[in-house]
Amino acid sequence: MSSVQTTGNVEKFNYDDGIVKKFTLATIIFGLVALLVGIIIAFQLAYYPLNTQLPWFTFGRLRPLHTNAAIFAFAGNAIFAGMYYSLQRLLKTRLFSDKLSNFHFWGWQLIIVAAAVTLPLGFTQGKEYAELEWPIDIMIALVWVAFGVNMLGTIIIRRVKHIYVAIWFYIATFITVAVLHIVNSAAIPVSMFKSYSAYAGVSDALVQWWYGHNAVAFFLTTPFLGLMYFFIPKSVNRPVYSYRLSVVHFWTIVFLYIWAGPHHLLNTAVPDWAQTTGMVFSIMLWIPSWGGMINGLMTIRGAWDKLRTEPIVKFLALSATFYGMSTFEGPLLSIKSVNELGHYTDWIIAHVHAGALGWNGFLIFGMIYYMVPKLWKTELYSKRLANIHFWTATIGILLYIIAMYTSGFTQGLMWREVDAAGKLAYPDFVQTVVRVVPLYWIRGLGGVVYLAGFIIMLFNVVKTIKLAPAVQTNETEDEYVPYVKTPVFGNPDQSFSHRVLEGAPMILAGLVVVAIAIGSLISLSPMWMSSSVVEANYHDAITKPYTPLQLAGRDLYLREGCYTCHSQMIRKTVGDVLRFGAPSTIEESKYDHPFQWGSKRIGPDLARVGTKYPDLWHFRHVRNPQEVVNGSIMPSYSWMYKDKIDFAILRKKLSVMKILGVPYGDDDVANSESWAREDAKKIAAGLVAEGAQIQDDREILALIAYLQRLGNPPASIGGAK
Amino acid sequence: MIRDLLANLHWSVLPVVSMFMFMSVFIGVLIWVYRKDSNIIYKEMENFPNE
């Protein structure tokens, strides 16, 4: 309960530790889940039978669960735990509202549970890191606003005049994530668990990677930088190396990061100037990133001896080191020629996991070891076990990333290698898959070792809590002389410039909005001209909407998470063109709500797979990939041969697409069901004529219709009428 | 007309403009942090987490 006692100028008050405890425990529980799912999908790639025949247990459905659990459940809960712990102590006040704190906590856990249920069931928007369907998106927005009000309210009722730099990072996190989530999640519902993105093709790609990149920036970087600026000085009991540098770090990172999204779309159909802008800004990110990393590490100056003895300092120091490594590698991968080699390969997986396991994971572990004994008012059960955790986790990460770097370089080089005659040295994509499978085993092993370390921490935390006094309060008392509140403007007694910019939260927040708005507007600007470019430069006949059956098939492609393994974007690179055909153009995905360009090629690109193989090939391949492609690691989708197409919903789907600007006529919408049934019958009849056994209303027929359409003028396969 | 304009725009100058914008922000912040009297506030804040 909040209570304040005043003695003279000194005010006695208490901090709400209960909410921090809850978020800390949730961090540990969901960290375990995220790692477990990660290990399962790692081994599913190494040994495909582990996909089993259960629809909800396949790689395509579990991979989004893993990423969402790692980012929003594990890292998310940790951010809130660390923020609420540090916010109160830096501002010398209790959190603004206990009710909002609890609404935030339980709301966030409800979102996580909803994600854990819906994603394996195949309810997805098909956008990476933004897969959750519209009702959950609305819940996220509400809970995020509650968090923001609670944080800003706490800042307003503070007893300290200056707002410490860590809190600036928290403010930037709240504002930017809110903007990213609302803009990227814009969609029109078809049903309770199905919606179509408001954006299509190149526009969707730009919005999605503006979101995706900045989810890394403002969910996995800025809040953690704020936490770093709190927990490193705390753990070594030393002042921040340079507060000036932290101010420069903050403004440059907030201004720069938002521009860099297009580096996820290098060598694609996105306009060249947008790619170049993304690349230039990504390279400039070296400046603030390394400034922050140096500031974090140099804060340990004079206390380096603690690296030998204190596991918390070990975790935090290695965390900052991984931050430096990852933020060196990110800009490097944003150089077009480097990206040509690394994109779609496991190099990106190594990069991402060096950041997630090293930077985020180690900072969270350091934070947990720091906070748990203080929250439960006891001592850490075993420093030795914490040290064992540190070394176990370090070995786990090294095994993981070395395997993935090797795999990534191997894939990138094999994909583009040509012989003396100028032909591909490895023309069958599966040759490059088979080569890296042993490395998938090592990656899985690395994950197991990292998880073992995590379980050691779990044991240590449980024992620490058991050591705690039986009578626990969820509060910590403190006292402080509050600063005298004066108007921001027109006060001659204080430094005007300081008060305005560094002591006034709303003005600071306003400047953050301006900083992110400039980069967002410019980096997203191609989306406003994309349709004009398409109409001016491309023959419109090629851009026809999907037939209802193809649309049904496309939704099955999304449901099964095919985009987690297959791209649909042939880049303007020699290797891609030799292997997959002519480069993809922006008009080809003009009506793709959402776009499916993908970011990974565990299997080949599918942008021009249409009519490359007969229907029967797809029929056999989806049921039993190894029967058709020796060495394939793709799972079987046998349920698509039993489950029926939902023809009844097609009318609603086409109506929504029409609202979104896809040129369906009224007749197309009205007759969508009969049109789809007719097309399905044709495909089924063709298959039966070739000896297959299939009824004319099964899901596989819709998927075949969609795959055969990819990269081909729809007229050739009886497209839009 | 607006469509034609958008379709034919070549915005290759934007990366350069953007870079100048960033350099302005960067230099501006550098000047800001070295403003008169900032030393007192920053020295105090460096120690703040440890109070």
Side-chain angles (χ1 to χ4, degrees):
Chain A
M1 289 292 286
S2 174
S3 67
V4 180
Q5 291 177 329
T6 308
T7 315
N9 288 335
V10 180
E11 288 185 2
K12 260 192 178 177
F13 51 93
N14 50 44
Y15 300 129
D16 180 5
D17 285 346
I19 194 68
V20 185
K21 283 180 181 176
K22 285 180 191 166
F23 274 117
T24 304
L25 294 176
T27 302
I28 296 172
I29 292 165
F30 288 119
L32 196 65
V33 173
L35 288 173
L36 265 174
V37 179
I39 287 167
I40 290 168
I41 60 172
F43 284 119
Q44 282 179 333
L45 289 181
Y47 184 63
Y48 73 86
L50 283 178
N51 284 278
T52 71
Q53 295 285 318
L54 299 169
W56 58 270
F57 202 71
T58 49
F59 177 86
R61 295 199 193 183
L62 288 185
R63 195 261 190 180
L65 179 65
H66 165 61
T67 51
N68 278 273
I71 298 169
F72 301 111
F74 175 49
N77 275 310
I79 290 166
F80 300 134
M83 273 187 183
Y84 279 165
Y85 183 87
S86 57
L87 198 65
Q88 299 182 85
R89 283 152 178 85
L90 287 170
L91 298 174
K92 303 292 178 198
T93 185
R94 188 184 175 89
L95 287 170
F96 173 64
S97 162
D98 289 1
K99 282 182 184 158
L100 276 179
S101 300
N102 280 303
F103 175 77
H104 175 198
F105 176 77
W106 290 111
W108 196 255
Q109 309 319 312
L110 183 66
I111 288 162
I112 292 166
V113 172
V117 173
T118 56
L119 290 173
L121 290 175
F123 299 121
T124 172
Q125 291 198 38
K127 294 175 68 149
E128 277 187 88
Y129 318 118
E131 288 92 349
L132 300 175
E133 267 299 349
W134 67 273
I136 308 175
D137 277 342
I138 292 172
M139 282 163 62
I140 293 172
L142 289 174
V143 173
W144 194 257
V145 168
F147 154 63
V149 171
N150 206 17
M151 180 178 71
L152 292 175
T154 309
I155 294 170
I156 287 166
I157 60 166
R158 70 193 188 277
R159 292 186 171 82
V160 177
K161 185 166 80 173
H162 188 101
I163 301 169
Y164 183 65
V165 72
I167 299 166
W168 304 10
F169 281 100
Y170 302 162
I171 294 172
T173 299
F174 164 65
I175 292 170
T176 316
V177 170
V179 173
L180 293 168
H181 175 69
I182 291 167
V183 174
N184 188 50
S185 301
I188 299 187
V190 173
S191 64
M192 191 64 187
F193 292 108
K194 180 68 195 167
S195 62
Y196 287 126
S197 169
Y199 317 102
V202 67
S203 300
D204 197 29
L206 284 160
V207 173
Q208 164 62 23
W209 285 114
W210 167 79
Y211 162 87
H213 175 74
N214 290 300
V216 173
F218 288 90
F219 204 85
L220 297 177
T221 304
T222 52
F224 283 90
L225 287 170
L227 297 173
M228 178 189 85
Y229 277 120
F230 179 79
F231 283 101
I232 289 188
K234 274 278 188 201
S235 63
V236 293
N237 199 27
R238 302 272 309 163
V240 174
Y241 172 63
S242 166
Y243 198 79
R244 280 202 170 89
L245 182 54
S246 72
V247 177
V248 178
H249 178 202
F250 173 80
W251 284 112
T252 46
I253 214 158
V254 166
F255 185 81
L256 273 181
Y257 238 128
I258 204 89
W259 296 72
H263 74 209
H264 290 261
L265 301 166
L266 296 179
N267 301 303
T268 67
V270 166
D272 275 348
W273 71 263
Q275 295 183 35
T276 307
T277 310
M279 182 177 82
V280 168
F281 273 79
S282 303
I283 293 166
M284 286 194 293
L285 266 172
W286 264 324
I287 301 171
S289 302
W290 273 55
M293 184 267 291
I294 290 166
N295 212 6
L297 280 180
M298 289 301 283
T299 299
I300 308 175
R301 75 202 183 284
W304 291 109
D305 57 303
K306 289 191 174 177
L307 266 182
R308 279 186 286 122
T309 54
E310 293 301 322
I312 295 171
V313 182
K314 284 182 194 180
F315 276 116
L316 295 177
L318 200 56
S319 165
T321 309
F322 269 113
Y323 174 62
M325 281 167 53
S326 301
T327 53
F328 178 82
E329 191 183 24
L332 183 76
L333 277 163
S334 303
I335 298 167
K336 265 187 170 179
S337 51
V338 180
N339 189 273
E340 184 188 338
L341 177 70
H343 194 43
Y344 297 128
T345 74
D346 286 327
W347 184 351
I348 308 301
I349 309 301
H351 168 62
V352 166
H353 283 80
L357 299 175
W359 159 234
N360 302 124
F362 274 29
L363 202 140
I364 292 169
F365 300 147
M367 204 173 79
I368 288 173
Y369 283 122
Y370 179 89
M371 289 195 307
V372 166
K374 288 186 169 51
L375 289 171
W376 273 271
K377 299 175 178 63
T378 182
E379 294 292 317
L380 185 66
Y381 169 70
S382 168
K383 207 182 262 190
R384 187 159 174 265
L385 279 179
N387 274 315
I388 292 172
H389 174 200
F390 173 79
W391 287 111
T392 312
T394 304
I395 292 166
I397 293 181
L398 290 177
L399 278 171
Y400 190 111
I401 62 173
I402 290 169
M404 286 299 93
Y405 280 124
T406 312
S407 173
F409 299 152
T410 305
Q411 289 169 324
L413 293 170
M414 286 179 83
W415 289 349
R416 68 182 186 179
E417 189 171 341
V418 290
D419 60 19
K423 291 181 177 173
L424 288 171
Y426 303 97
D428 292 333
F429 191 88
V430 74
Q431 291 173 289
T432 68
V433 176
V434 172
R435 186 69 67 88
V436 298
V437 166
L439 295 162
Y440 287 165
W441 283 104
I442 299 173
R443 181 252 296 265
L445 177 66
V448 170
V449 174
Y450 192 86
L451 175 67
F454 194 95
I455 292 168
I456 292 169
M457 181 187 75
L458 174 65
F459 175 78
N460 210 355
V461 167
V462 170
K463 295 294 270 182
T464 303
I465 294 172
K466 280 190 174 174
L467 275 182
V471 181
Q472 280 281 323
T473 60
N474 286 326
E475 281 154 1
T476 300
E477 285 191 354
D478 202 354
E479 54 184 38
Y480 200 75
V481 180
Y483 78 101
V484 180
K485 286 181 182 150
T486 50
V488 173
F489 298 99
N491 178 18
D493 297 335
Q494 61 181 333
S495 160
F496 169 79
S497 53
H498 161 70
R499 180 79 181 95
V500 168
L501 270 183
E502 295 174 15
M506 293 309 167
I507 295 173
L508 201 138
L511 284 171
V512 169
V513 172
V514 171
I516 63 162
I518 294 170
S520 299
L521 289 173
I522 294 183
S523 61
L524 289 178
S525 60
M527 64 184 276
W528 289 296
M529 60 172 123
S530 63
S531 56
S532 310
V533 172
V534 168
E535 282 169 28
N537 295 300
Y538 296 96
H539 192 269
D540 198 44
I542 205 170
T543 314
K544 295 280 188 189
Y546 294 106
T547 65
L549 188 67
Q550 289 164 354
L551 188 64
R554 190 169 198 276
D555 288 337
L556 295 172
Y557 184 94
L558 296 178
R559 185 188 75 185
E560 300 307 336
C562 301
Y563 64 91
T564 59
C565 293
H566 296 282
S567 58
Q568 286 185 26
M569 172 48 65
I570 302 169
R571 295 173 297 170
K572 298 167 198 160
T573 64
V574 176
D576 267 25
V577 173
L578 282 175
R579 186 174 296 279
F580 302 117
S584 298
T585 52
I586 54 174
E587 98 286 356
E588 288 178 296
S589 50
K590 187 179 173 185
Y591 300 126
D592 283 7
H593 294 269
F595 83 117
Q596 286 293 285
W597 294 4
S599 66
K600 186 78 177 74
R601 285 180 185 159
I602 294 168
D605 187 278
L606 299 180
R608 305 216 178 281
V609 77
T611 66
K612 186 177 177 184
Y613 306 104
D615 288 355
L616 188 63
W617 187 93
H618 288 295
F619 183 82
R620 293 172 62 202
H621 182 243
V622 175
R623 186 171 58 191
N624 185 358
Q626 292 69 35
E627 182 187 308
V628 184
V629 181
N630 191 25
S632 170
I633 59 171
M634 180 170 141
S636 161
Y637 294 86
S638 56
W639 55 91
M640 296 179 92
Y641 297 75
K642 296 174 202 148
D643 296 344
K644 293 179 184 175
I645 299 165
D646 185 357
F647 288 109
I649 201 173
L650 285 171
R651 189 175 175 155
K652 187 78 194 291
K653 285 184 173 176
L654 262 73
S655 312
V656 170
M657 284 290 186
K658 197 178 170 199
I659 294 168
L660 289 168
V662 181
Y664 288 116
D666 290 338
D667 287 349
D668 294 337
V669 177
N671 302 323
S672 53
E673 188 174 340
S674 56
W675 183 2
R677 285 187 187 278
E678 196 183 309
D679 285 353
K681 272 183 188 162
K682 278 184 204 164
I683 296 172
L687 288 168
V688 171
E690 291 186 85
Q693 289 186 332
I694 190 73
Q695 288 173 275
D696 60 11
D697 57 355
R698 303 300 144 135
E699 288 183 342
I700 184 63
L701 302 172
L703 185 68
I704 290 173
Y706 171 63
L707 292 173
Q708 293 291 32
R709 156 69 191 271
L710 291 175
N712 279 290
S716 65
I717 50 171
K721 289 178 180 174
Chain B
M1 196 184 84
I2 293 170
R3 277 194 173 174
D4 288 344
L5 185 72
L6 285 172
N8 295 305
L9 263 181
H10 293 287
W11 290 18
S12 51
V13 71
L14 261 179
V16 180
V17 173
S18 309
M19 214 161 81
F20 275 108
M21 286 168 76
F22 166 68
M23 291 314 290
S24 309
V25 170
F26 184 62
I27 293 165
V29 176
L30 273 183
I31 294 168
W32 170 260
V33 295
Y34 282 100
R35 72 191 184 276
K36 200 181 164 194
D37 297 335
S38 66
N39 211 33
I40 304 160
I41 299 160
Y42 291 160
K43 277 289 161 203
E44 183 189 331
M45 293 317 296
E46 274 171 15
N47 281 297
F48 205 79
N50 299 319
E51 279 185 357

